[in-house]
Structures are given as structure tokens and as C-alpha cells.
Amino acid sequence: MPKIAPASPEVVYDVFASLDIRVGTVRTAEPFPEARKPAYRLTIDFGEAIGVKKSSAQITDLYTLEELVGRKVMAVVNFPPRQIGPVRSEVLVLGFPDAEGRIVLAAPDSEVPDGARLS
């Protein structure tokens, strides 16, 4: 079981509020064989205001490509893009490690529209 780290130091609310965390629907999921660690290439629809964004996500342990398409995910949409091999990752998909260190995606448990912001 991975060691759970203690809480990070306190921050003011404005620091949290500066992160733009939105929900989106995975439209495509493809293998990403060029990645150093096993990963998928995703396109995620965040609705009309934000649009469709690309991401690389290390979620191959618990998810198949087929089950990701149509799934709601949460992501930080206001980090600068990051080049990961041949992929320009535009958003950071959020998840938590399980007891074996495999990433479990963060997602709402009820239907919300694409682009809804975490508040």
C-alpha cells in the first residue's frame, strides 16, 4: 500500500480559486506507445465555452480505451500546455492512487454539464 502523505501547508482560498477545475466528457481515447510510462491520449469535451482539449493520462491500469469514451472526468483546464513526447497535453486529468498505486479518475457522481466548474 502506498504511503499517504500528510496534508500540505495551508494556503489562502485565492490560491485554490485560481485553479480552474472542470468536468468534461472523453470523446476519444487512444494508445500512447511513445510515452515513457504507460498512458493514453485523450480528447475531452469541456462544452462550448472551453471546447475540446487533449491530454495524456497514466490511467492504463484500471481503464480500457473502450470504457473511457463517454466517461465524465475532472481536469485542471488553466495550466499551461505541456509537451509529452509527440503530444501537447492541454489539461491535467485528475485522479487518486488506490491501495496499489493505480490511478482512479476523479468524476462527479451525478450528471453535470460539460464545462461545469468545481466550486
Side-chain angles (χ1 to χ4, degrees):
M1 183 160 150
K3 184 177 179 183
I4 304 296
S8 296
E10 287 185 1
V11 296
V12 295
Y13 179 79
D14 291 345
V15 171
F16 169 74
S18 70
L19 295 176
D20 193 351
I21 300 172
R22 304 285 181 125
V23 67
T25 301
V26 176
R27 295 297 177 210
T28 66
E30 301 172 338
F32 187 11
E34 303 91 348
R36 279 188 245 146
K37 295 181 181 178
Y40 293 141
R41 285 189 287 227
L42 307 176
T43 57
I44 306 165
D45 186 351
F46 291 97
E48 190 175 315
I50 296 172
V52 176
K53 300 291 182 180
K54 296 176 187 170
S55 187
S56 167
Q58 295 174 1
I59 54 174
T60 59
D61 290 330
L62 295 178
Y63 303 96
T64 66
L65 295 169
E66 296 77 22
E67 69 185 315
L68 286 168
V69 175
R71 183 185 186 94
K72 295 282 189 178
V73 296
M74 294 170 58
V76 177
V77 299
N78 66 331
F79 282 154
R82 187 171 175 192
Q83 194 69 36
I84 302 173
V87 172
R88 183 176 164 100
S89 189
E90 300 172 301
V91 299
L92 176 66
V93 176
L94 301 176
F96 299 92
D98 68 8
E100 285 80 43
R102 302 169 301 186
I103 300 301
V104 177
L105 290 169
D109 65 0
S110 295
E111 186 61 32
V112 294
D114 288 338
R117 184 174 180 164
L118 179 71
S119 56

Coordinates of all heavy atoms in Angstrom, one line a residue, residues 66-105:
E66 N -12.0 1.5 -24.5 CA -13.4 1.5 -24.8 C -14.2 2.1 -23.7 O -15.2 2.8 -23.9 CB -13.8 0.1 -25.1 CG -13.2 -0.5 -26.3 CD -11.7 -1.0 -26.1 OE1 -11.3 -1.2 -25.0 OE2 -11.0 -1.1 -27.1
E67 N -13.9 1.8 -22.4 CA -14.7 2.3 -21.3 C -14.5 3.7 -21.0 O -15.3 4.4 -20.3 CB -14.5 1.4 -20.1 CG -13.2 1.5 -19.4 CD -13.1 0.5 -18.2 OE1 -14.0 0.4 -17.4 OE2 -12.0 -0.1 -18.1
L68 N -13.4 4.3 -21.5 CA -13.1 5.7 -21.3 C -14.0 6.6 -22.1 O -14.4 7.7 -21.7 CB -11.7 6.1 -21.5 CG -10.7 5.6 -20.4 CD1 -9.3 5.7 -20.9 CD2 -10.9 6.3 -19.1
V69 N -14.3 6.2 -23.3 CA -15.1 7.0 -24.3 C -16.5 7.2 -23.7 O -17.1 6.2 -23.4 CB -15.1 6.4 -25.7 CG1 -16.0 7.2 -26.6 CG2 -13.7 6.4 -26.3
G70 N -16.9 8.5 -23.5 CA -18.2 8.8 -23.0 C -18.2 9.0 -21.5 O -19.2 9.4 -20.9
R71 N -17.1 8.7 -20.8 CA -16.9 8.9 -19.4 C -16.7 10.3 -19.0 O -15.9 11.0 -19.7 CB -15.8 8.0 -18.9 CG -15.6 8.0 -17.4 CD -14.4 7.2 -17.0 NE -14.3 7.1 -15.6 CZ -14.8 6.1 -14.9 NH1 -15.4 5.1 -15.5 NH2 -14.7 6.1 -13.6
K72 N -17.3 10.8 -17.9 CA -17.0 12.1 -17.4 C -15.8 12.1 -16.5 O -15.5 11.1 -15.8 CB -18.2 12.6 -16.4 CG -19.5 12.8 -17.1 CD -19.6 14.1 -17.9 CE -21.0 14.3 -18.4 NZ -21.1 15.6 -19.1
V73 N -14.9 13.1 -16.7 CA -13.7 13.2 -15.9 C -13.6 14.7 -15.5 O -14.2 15.6 -16.0 CB -12.4 12.9 -16.8 CG1 -12.5 11.4 -17.1 CG2 -12.3 13.7 -18.0
M74 N -12.7 14.9 -14.5 CA -12.4 16.2 -14.0 C -11.0 16.5 -14.4 O -10.1 15.7 -14.4 CB -12.6 16.3 -12.5 CG -14.0 16.1 -12.0 SD -14.2 15.9 -10.2 CE -13.5 17.4 -9.6
A75 N -10.7 17.8 -14.7 CA -9.4 18.2 -15.1 C -9.2 19.7 -14.8 O -10.1 20.5 -14.8 CB -9.2 18.0 -16.6
V76 N -7.9 20.0 -14.6 CA -7.5 21.4 -14.4 C -7.3 21.9 -15.9 O -6.5 21.3 -16.6 CB -6.2 21.5 -13.7 CG1 -5.7 23.0 -13.6 CG2 -6.3 21.0 -12.2
V77 N -8.0 23.0 -16.2 CA -8.0 23.4 -17.6 C -7.2 24.7 -17.8 O -7.1 25.2 -18.9 CB -9.4 23.6 -18.2 CG1 -10.2 22.3 -18.2 CG2 -10.2 24.7 -17.4
N78 N -6.6 25.3 -16.7 CA -5.9 26.5 -16.9 C -4.4 26.4 -16.5 O -3.7 27.4 -16.3 CB -6.5 27.7 -16.1 CG -6.5 27.5 -14.6 OD1 -6.5 26.3 -14.1 ND2 -6.5 28.6 -13.8
F79 N -3.8 25.2 -16.6 CA -2.4 25.1 -16.6 C -1.9 25.3 -18.0 O -2.6 25.0 -19.0 CB -1.9 23.6 -16.2 CG -2.0 23.3 -14.7 CD1 -2.2 22.0 -14.3 CD2 -1.9 24.3 -13.7 CE1 -2.3 21.7 -12.9 CE2 -2.0 24.0 -12.4 CZ -2.2 22.7 -12.0
P80 N -0.6 25.8 -18.1 CA -0.1 25.9 -19.5 C 0.1 24.5 -20.1 O 0.3 23.6 -19.4 CB 1.3 26.5 -19.3 CG 1.5 26.8 -17.8 CD 0.3 26.2 -17.1
P81 N -0.1 24.5 -21.5 CA 0.1 23.2 -22.1 C 1.5 22.6 -21.9 O 2.4 23.4 -21.7 CB -0.1 23.5 -23.6 CG -0.8 24.8 -23.6 CD -0.4 25.5 -22.4
R82 N 1.6 21.3 -21.9 CA 2.9 20.6 -21.6 C 3.1 19.6 -22.7 O 2.2 18.8 -23.1 CB 2.7 19.9 -20.2 CG 4.0 19.3 -19.8 CD 3.9 18.9 -18.4 NE 5.1 18.2 -18.0 CZ 5.2 17.5 -16.9 NH1 4.2 17.4 -16.1 NH2 6.4 16.9 -16.6
Q83 N 4.3 19.6 -23.2 CA 4.7 18.7 -24.3 C 5.1 17.4 -23.7 O 6.0 17.3 -22.9 CB 5.8 19.3 -25.2 CG 6.0 18.6 -26.5 CD 4.9 18.8 -27.4 OE1 4.3 19.9 -27.5 NE2 4.6 17.7 -28.2
I84 N 4.4 16.3 -24.0 CA 4.7 15.0 -23.5 C 5.0 14.1 -24.8 O 4.0 13.6 -25.4 CB 3.6 14.4 -22.6 CG1 3.3 15.3 -21.5 CG2 3.9 13.0 -22.2 CD1 2.2 15.0 -20.6
G85 N 6.2 14.0 -25.1 CA 6.6 13.3 -26.3 C 5.9 14.0 -27.5 O 6.0 15.3 -27.6
P86 N 5.3 13.3 -28.4 CA 4.6 14.0 -29.5 C 3.3 14.6 -29.2 O 2.6 15.2 -30.1 CB 4.5 12.8 -30.5 CG 4.3 11.6 -29.7 CD 5.2 11.9 -28.5
V87 N 2.8 14.5 -27.9 CA 1.5 15.0 -27.6 C 1.6 16.3 -26.8 O 2.4 16.4 -25.8 CB 0.8 14.0 -26.7 CG1 -0.5 14.5 -26.1 CG2 0.5 12.7 -27.5
R88 N 0.8 17.3 -27.2 CA 0.7 18.6 -26.4 C -0.5 18.4 -25.5 O -1.6 18.5 -25.9 CB 0.5 19.7 -27.4 CG 0.5 21.1 -26.7 CD 0.4 22.1 -27.8 NE 0.0 23.4 -27.2 CZ 0.8 24.4 -27.0 NH1 2.1 24.3 -27.2 NH2 0.4 25.5 -26.5
S89 N -0.2 18.2 -24.2 CA -1.2 18.0 -23.2 C -1.7 19.3 -22.7 O -1.0 20.1 -22.2 CB -0.7 17.1 -22.0 OG -1.7 16.8 -21.2
E90 N -3.0 19.6 -23.0 CA -3.6 20.9 -22.7 C -4.3 21.0 -21.3 O -4.6 22.1 -20.9 CB -4.6 21.2 -23.8 CG -4.0 21.3 -25.2 CD -5.0 21.4 -26.3 OE1 -5.9 20.6 -26.4 OE2 -4.9 22.4 -27.0
V91 N -4.7 19.8 -20.7 CA -5.3 19.8 -19.4 C -4.8 18.7 -18.6 O -4.2 17.7 -19.1 CB -6.9 19.6 -19.6 CG1 -7.5 20.7 -20.4 CG2 -7.2 18.3 -20.2
L92 N -4.9 18.8 -17.3 CA -4.4 17.8 -16.4 C -5.6 17.0 -15.8 O -6.4 17.6 -15.0 CB -3.6 18.4 -15.2 CG -3.2 17.4 -14.1 CD1 -2.2 16.5 -14.7 CD2 -2.6 18.2 -12.9
V93 N -5.8 15.8 -16.2 CA -6.9 14.9 -15.8 C -6.6 14.5 -14.3 O -5.4 14.2 -14.0 CB -7.0 13.7 -16.7 CG1 -8.1 12.7 -16.1 CG2 -7.3 14.1 -18.1
L94 N -7.6 14.6 -13.5 CA -7.4 14.4 -12.0 C -7.8 13.0 -11.6 O -8.8 12.4 -12.1 CB -8.2 15.4 -11.2 CG -7.9 16.8 -11.5 CD1 -8.8 17.8 -10.8 CD2 -6.4 17.1 -11.1
G95 N -7.0 12.4 -10.7 CA -7.3 11.1 -10.1 C -6.6 10.9 -8.8 O -5.7 11.7 -8.4
F96 N -6.9 9.8 -8.1 CA -6.3 9.5 -6.9 C -5.7 8.1 -6.9 O -6.3 7.2 -7.6 CB -7.4 9.4 -5.8 CG -8.0 10.8 -5.6 CD1 -9.2 11.1 -6.3 CD2 -7.5 11.7 -4.7 CE1 -9.8 12.3 -6.1 CE2 -8.1 12.9 -4.5 CZ -9.3 13.2 -5.2
P97 N -4.5 7.8 -6.3 CA -4.0 6.5 -6.3 C -4.8 5.6 -5.3 O -5.1 6.0 -4.2 CB -2.5 6.7 -5.8 CG -2.6 7.9 -5.0 CD -3.6 8.8 -5.6
D98 N -5.0 4.3 -5.8 CA -5.7 3.4 -4.9 C -4.6 2.7 -4.0 O -3.4 3.1 -4.0 CB -6.5 2.4 -5.7 CG -5.7 1.4 -6.6 OD1 -4.5 1.4 -6.5 OD2 -6.3 0.7 -7.3
A99 N -5.0 1.6 -3.3 CA -4.0 1.0 -2.4 C -2.8 0.4 -3.1 O -1.8 0.2 -2.5 CB -4.8 -0.1 -1.6
E100 N -2.9 0.1 -4.4 CA -1.8 -0.4 -5.2 C -1.1 0.6 -6.0 O -0.2 0.3 -6.8 CB -2.3 -1.6 -6.1 CG -2.6 -2.9 -5.4 CD -4.0 -2.9 -4.8 OE1 -4.9 -2.4 -5.4 OE2 -4.0 -3.3 -3.6
G101 N -1.5 1.9 -5.9 CA -0.9 3.0 -6.6 C -1.5 3.2 -8.0 O -1.0 4.1 -8.7
R102 N -2.5 2.5 -8.4 CA -3.2 2.7 -9.7 C -4.1 3.9 -9.6 O -4.7 4.2 -8.6 CB -4.0 1.5 -10.0 CG -3.1 0.2 -10.1 CD -4.0 -1.0 -10.2 NE -4.9 -1.1 -9.1 CZ -5.7 -2.1 -8.8 NH1 -5.7 -3.2 -9.6 NH2 -6.5 -2.1 -7.7
I103 N -4.1 4.7 -10.6 CA -4.9 6.0 -10.6 C -6.4 5.7 -10.9 O -6.8 5.1 -11.9 CB -4.4 7.0 -11.6 CG1 -2.9 7.3 -11.3 CG2 -5.2 8.2 -11.7 CD1 -2.7 7.9 -10.0
V104 N -7.2 6.2 -9.9 CA -8.7 6.2 -10.0 C -9.1 7.6 -10.4 O -8.8 8.5 -9.7 CB -9.3 5.7 -8.7 CG1 -10.8 5.8 -8.8 CG2 -8.8 4.4 -8.3
L105 N -9.8 7.7 -11.5 CA -10.3 9.0 -12.0 C -11.2 9.7 -11.0 O -12.1 9.1 -10.4 CB -10.9 8.9 -13.4 CG -10.0 8.5 -14.5 CD1 -10.8 8.1 -15.7 CD2 -9.1 9.6 -14.8

